[in-house]
Amino acid sequence: MSFLGNDPSSLQYSISSSLQDFLVKKLLVSHDPDGRRLDSELLLRQMENVMLYSTASQAQVPDQHFYPNAKSEVSNIEVVGSDEPLGYTIGKISCQQLCPGNSLAVSVAMFKELPGDLTTLLVKPQYKALNSLIKIMVDLTKIIIEYESLPLSQVKLEDETRTMTKYQIYSTILSTWELSSLANRLRSMYSPIKRQVVKCHQQTDTKLYEKLLNIFKETNVENHQALSMLFALRDDFPLLDCPSQAKFGVHKLRNMVVVLLISKPELLPIDESLFLIQQTYDHPHHKIFQESYKLVWVPIPASNLWTDAEMTSFKFLSHSLPWYTMRQPRFLNSVVVKFIKQVWNYKDDEPVMVVLDPQGNVTNLNAMDMVYIWGAKAYPFSDSREIELWQEEKWRLQLLVGEIDHLLTNWVEEGGYICIYGSHNIDWILEFNAKMKEIKEASAVELEMVYTGNRNLENKQVRDIVAMDKEGKLRTPLSLTQMGFFWIRLECIRRSKLKLGNSVDTDQILREVSALLDMDDSDKDWVVMGRGKSMEIVRLETNKLMECLNTFPAWIGNVAKLGLLGALRHVVEPPIVAEPCGHFDIIRPFIEEGMEEMAVCEKCKHPMKKFVMYK
């Protein structure tokens, strides 16, 4: 089993003829790897925990001295190239404690004969010397592991730096075979080798960062080369398929669009996480594009060390999400994290979706908003695709509700009238619903009511209103979670529009969505009414609306000619002039499903005639 690195043959390099004969050959004779590899760093952590627990009482060594996740990580040590779990190997050793022919077993047996109360032994010079020896050996082992974990296959160090570091490591390993004054000798070697490893680290970090910058500027590479630089510096199988728990390499993502969801190990608040899963995995367009793109979750902790809470959250989510993720995110190189934060503008509290095309080019530094708005339909999730999608959109119900609820989507498809409203005023909601029920019955129109609450779904009044729906006093298709989806969608629409440089003065969609969000901020009641997929949609101020509803017998006859929305608007916003103004509006491009049966002129409030122009 190899503990020195992935490639034992790398030991055979030219330092000097004397070292070649005396040191390297001697090491190669004793070091005979059989192709198996394990996580030396994780194994060392567990050994330290065992030693700390066995040499000190709980009163002497507080919990924070131990590595986090110690108990859970023991079972996670993998042995690559072996079908035999590490625990089984350790178990076989423990079964031989009584075997006098096995030197390791004899050593274990000697340690087991130590007295139960170690406090009396701690004062003995022999034990202090042994403890000192073990400590410096552990420190040296950490330094060697740190050196071996550097991505030296990706960057080339200065020859002198690498040669000197290797020389000091081999000298240290050789010295461990001679036990006389070992602790003192190792202690004298620790500082020089640490300085060399620090130097190697600095060179590696600088060169790796430069290589990351360059590889994302190149145009003649494939995405798996860029992904290897990000995730496969230490592990050939760095990724995990969450549903199947199968590990795989970055080559599986070759020729695909890769969306990197970078966030805290806690991912997102529960409502945002559920909505993101719906938009990427449960979205109707997912089946069309599922073989063309993959989403990879990249969790980054708040600090360099993972906490117990972060690891617990990651393990739970990595068994629950429908996407890919990193198999061992603690292996993510610190230089890669630095690159993600500095170049891709990732901040700990703001998750981002960085999109790589099949050539490894970054086509979008944050596709979060467009994924929330259009789901899988936004494929390939590039900046240019976002602009294209907005060029196709109009202010209509279909944009407002998207795919947040299947029943609501069906209502839009069927072309009936839909009234969407928000408030936490129970009295107003009861009065408003009663009036709308009267109008629906008097006009014989298909009308559905949809309550959306407000952005603060923890509001007790909102929850009481939703509870009324269960009692039959209110009808709305949305659950509290789906109401959350609605408000997330509105916020994403506003952010996306602002990111593209639009303003409320020139963009109708941004103006209308901003008005709804502003009214919610000021606790105002609001109503938006529309019809099917058409652009027949109006936002109504509640004071004027209630005045209008109270006089509905006087205008209900106009519904047959103007439609429900036209009749309402005719009362709320009466014509500026008595006669039609002759104003016209050209809708490009022609979309048959988006052509409403009737439109009202914004200037004179009269119905407009519909014509089709051919180019």
Side-chain angles (χ1 to χ4, degrees):
M1 188 176 291
S2 171
F3 291 88
L4 290 181
N6 294 343
D7 185 11
S9 63
S10 65
L11 298 176
Q12 301 181 23
Y13 74 102
S14 176
I15 302 176
S16 69
S17 58
S18 59
L19 283 176
Q20 190 82 18
D21 293 337
F22 175 70
L23 183 59
V24 178
K25 288 183 179 180
K26 203 167 186 179
L27 287 175
L28 288 174
V29 168
S30 66
H31 182 63
D32 185 22
D34 56 10
R36 292 178 293 165
R37 289 185 289 110
L38 53 73
D39 186 344
S40 305
E41 181 181 0
L42 192 53
L43 181 62
L44 182 64
R45 287 187 182 186
Q46 307 317 315
M47 188 201 75
E48 283 191 277
N49 277 284
V50 171
M51 291 170 58
L52 285 170
Y53 275 113
S54 64
T55 57
S57 67
Q58 290 296 320
Q60 292 171 314
V61 183
D63 288 342
Q64 58 264 32
H65 286 191
F66 302 107
Y67 283 102
N69 316 304
K71 295 180 181 179
S72 61
E73 285 187 350
V74 171
S75 60
N76 292 332
I77 301 178
E78 293 182 289
V79 181
V80 179
S82 174
D83 296 329
E84 182 181 282
L86 183 62
Y88 182 71
T89 304
I90 296 174
K92 286 198 301 185
I93 295 175
S94 67
C95 292
Q96 299 167 349
Q97 283 170 12
L98 299 178
C99 177
N102 187 306
S103 58
L104 177 59
V106 171
S107 301
V108 173
M110 290 174 61
F111 273 106
K112 286 199 68 176
E113 291 174 3
L114 291 173
D117 184 7
L118 293 177
T119 56
T120 58
L121 190 59
L122 289 175
V123 298
K124 294 185 178 180
Q126 298 93 329
Y127 188 83
K128 287 185 177 180
L130 178 60
N131 194 45
S132 176
L133 171 62
I134 292 175
K135 183 180 183 305
I136 191 61
M137 288 178 68
V138 169
D139 290 342
L140 279 166
T141 305
K142 285 181 181 179
I143 290 294
I144 294 172
I145 289 175
E146 181 179 352
Y147 174 78
E148 292 293 340
S149 66
L150 294 176
L152 299 179
S153 62
Q154 297 290 342
V155 297
K156 186 177 181 181
L157 301 182
E158 296 173 2
D159 291 340
E160 181 180 352
T161 301
R162 187 167 185 172
T163 298
M164 182 57 68
T165 306
K166 282 285 190 180
Y167 167 73
Q168 291 181 347
I169 288 175
Y170 300 155
S171 298
T172 302
I173 295 172
L174 184 63
S175 297
T176 61
W177 299 343
E178 302 172 8
L179 297 178
S180 59
S181 305
L182 183 57
N184 291 332
R185 295 179 62 187
L186 290 179
R187 194 174 294 109
S188 67
M189 295 177 178
Y190 176 74
S191 295
I193 194 172
K194 183 176 181 180
R195 283 195 298 270
Q196 285 301 127
V197 171
V198 168
K199 188 181 293 185
C200 289
H201 228 303
Q202 291 170 343
Q203 286 188 28
T204 302
D205 289 355
T206 301
K207 293 178 182 292
L208 182 59
Y209 193 82
E210 292 173 354
K211 195 167 182 179
L212 281 168
L213 290 173
N214 292 331
I215 200 167
F216 285 100
K217 292 178 182 177
E218 297 175 9
T219 56
N220 297 322
V221 299
E222 294 185 350
N223 65 353
H224 73 276
Q225 294 175 268
L227 293 169
S228 293
M229 288 293 299
L230 292 172
F231 306 128
L233 294 174
R234 292 184 58 178
D235 189 351
D236 293 334
F237 301 94
L239 301 178
L240 180 75
D241 183 351
C242 294
S244 68
Q245 292 294 293
K247 62 181 180 181
F248 62 94
V250 296
H251 283 75
K252 188 174 181 179
L253 301 176
R254 190 195 296 265
N255 299 325
M256 289 186 178
V257 169
V258 178
V259 183
L260 303 177
L261 171 56
I262 305 168
S263 76
K264 299 181 293 185
E266 297 84 3
L267 191 58
L268 301 164
I270 185 64
D271 56 341
E272 294 183 37
S273 299
L274 291 173
F275 192 31
L276 194 60
I277 291 172
Q278 175 176 302
Q279 293 297 83
T280 55
Y281 189 73
D282 296 329
H283 193 274
H285 284 78
H286 174 69
K287 291 183 179 179
I288 302 174
F289 300 113
Q290 62 181 337
E291 298 305 322
S292 301
Y293 81 94
K294 295 297 178 185
L295 194 152
V296 180
W297 177 39
V298 183
I300 296 180
S303 64
N304 292 332
L305 287 178
W306 282 69
T307 65
D308 279 329
E310 288 173 332
M311 185 58 70
T312 299
S313 176
F314 167 73
K315 287 185 175 181
F316 171 76
L317 290 170
S318 65
H319 283 77
S320 308
L321 296 172
W323 312 315
Y324 293 161
T325 186
M326 295 191 66
R327 189 165 59 89
Q328 301 204 54
R330 66 185 183 85
F331 280 170
L332 193 64
N333 191 284
S334 59
V335 177
V336 174
V337 174
K338 176 183 175 183
F339 174 84
I340 289 173
K341 290 183 176 181
Q342 293 186 350
V343 180
W344 289 349
N345 302 321
Y346 168 70
K347 298 177 177 60
D348 293 339
D349 56 344
E350 297 179 13
V352 297
M353 277 183 160
V354 178
V355 183
L356 306 181
D357 68 11
Q359 289 71 48
N361 301 311
V362 177
T363 59
N364 197 332
L365 279 174
N366 193 0
M368 288 285 290
D369 290 335
M370 67 185 304
V371 170
Y372 276 132
I373 298 169
W374 293 287
K377 183 183 177 182
Y379 174 85
F381 313 106
S382 60
D383 288 328
S384 59
R385 177 59 175 159
E386 187 170 13
I387 295 172
E388 181 182 284
L389 286 167
W390 277 126
Q391 289 173 343
E392 298 171 358
E393 286 291 358
K394 301 292 182 182
W395 174 239
R396 50 184 173 174
L397 282 178
Q398 201 170 18
L399 172 65
L400 196 59
V401 301
E403 303 287 342
I404 61 176
D405 176 72
H406 294 306
L407 180 58
L408 185 51
T409 301
N410 290 338
W411 288 349
V412 173
E413 294 284 342
E414 291 167 1
Y417 289 102
I418 299 175
C419 177
I420 302 174
Y421 61 102
S423 172
H424 58 252
N425 186 331
I426 295 178
D427 294 334
W428 177 83
I429 286 176
L430 291 173
E431 180 186 3
F432 174 62
N433 273 270
K435 288 292 183 184
M436 293 304 293
K437 184 178 180 181
E438 289 182 44
I439 293 173
K440 179 180 177 179
E441 293 173 350
S443 62
V445 297
E446 292 292 329
L447 174 65
E448 301 291 351
M449 305 292 289
V450 180
Y451 175 63
T452 61
N454 60 21
R455 275 183 283 185
N456 181 17
L457 297 179
E458 298 301 318
N459 186 308
K460 183 179 183 301
Q461 292 168 302
V462 172
R463 291 181 173 269
D464 289 342
I465 294 169
V466 173
M468 290 191 332
D469 179 52
K470 297 178 181 178
E471 297 169 4
K473 299 178 182 178
L474 184 72
R475 187 181 179 222
T476 180
L478 302 184
S479 65
L480 275 171
T481 299
Q482 290 170 323
M483 291 178 189
F485 293 174
F486 174 82
W487 290 104
I488 293 169
R489 184 177 180 82
L490 290 189
E491 290 171 343
C492 290
I493 289 174
R494 179 163 68 177
R495 272 199 307 267
S496 177
K497 282 287 188 178
L498 291 173
K499 184 181 74 172
L500 296 176
N502 297 285
S503 70
V504 294
D505 296 326
T506 58
D507 191 286
Q508 182 190 14
I509 294 175
L510 179 58
R511 182 167 58 251
E512 296 292 340
V513 168
S514 296
L516 294 180
L517 291 169
D518 292 343
M519 284 190 287
D520 181 71
D521 288 337
S522 56
D523 293 332
K524 292 182 179 179
D525 311 323
W526 58 267
V527 175
V528 171
M529 293 183 67
R531 186 176 187 183
K533 294 182 178 180
S534 75
M535 288 180 289
E536 193 179 355
I537 182 172
V538 61
R539 172 173 52 86
L540 300 167
E541 296 292 339
T542 55
N543 291 334
K544 288 185 178 180
L545 175 63
M546 294 308 294
E547 292 176 8
C548 172
L549 297 183
N550 288 331
T551 61
F552 84 90
W555 53 263
I556 198 71
N558 289 335
V559 173
K561 181 176 68 171
L562 301 178
L564 178 60
L565 289 182
L568 275 172
R569 188 166 7 200
H570 197 78
V571 177
V572 176
E573 303 174 5
I576 298 174
V577 295
E579 298 296 326
C581 63
H583 180 255
F584 63 91
D585 188 16
I586 299 177
I587 300 173
R588 295 190 182 95
F590 172 74
I591 304 174
E592 185 174 359
E593 68 176 19
M595 292 295 291
E596 61 271 32
E597 296 178 6
M598 187 278 302
V600 176
C601 175
E602 289 290 334
K603 185 175 181 180
C604 71
K605 309 303 179 185
H606 283 82
M608 301 178 74
K609 292 182 180 180
K610 179 175 69 175
F611 299 93
V612 177
M613 298 175 61
Y614 297 94
K615 206 169 184 181

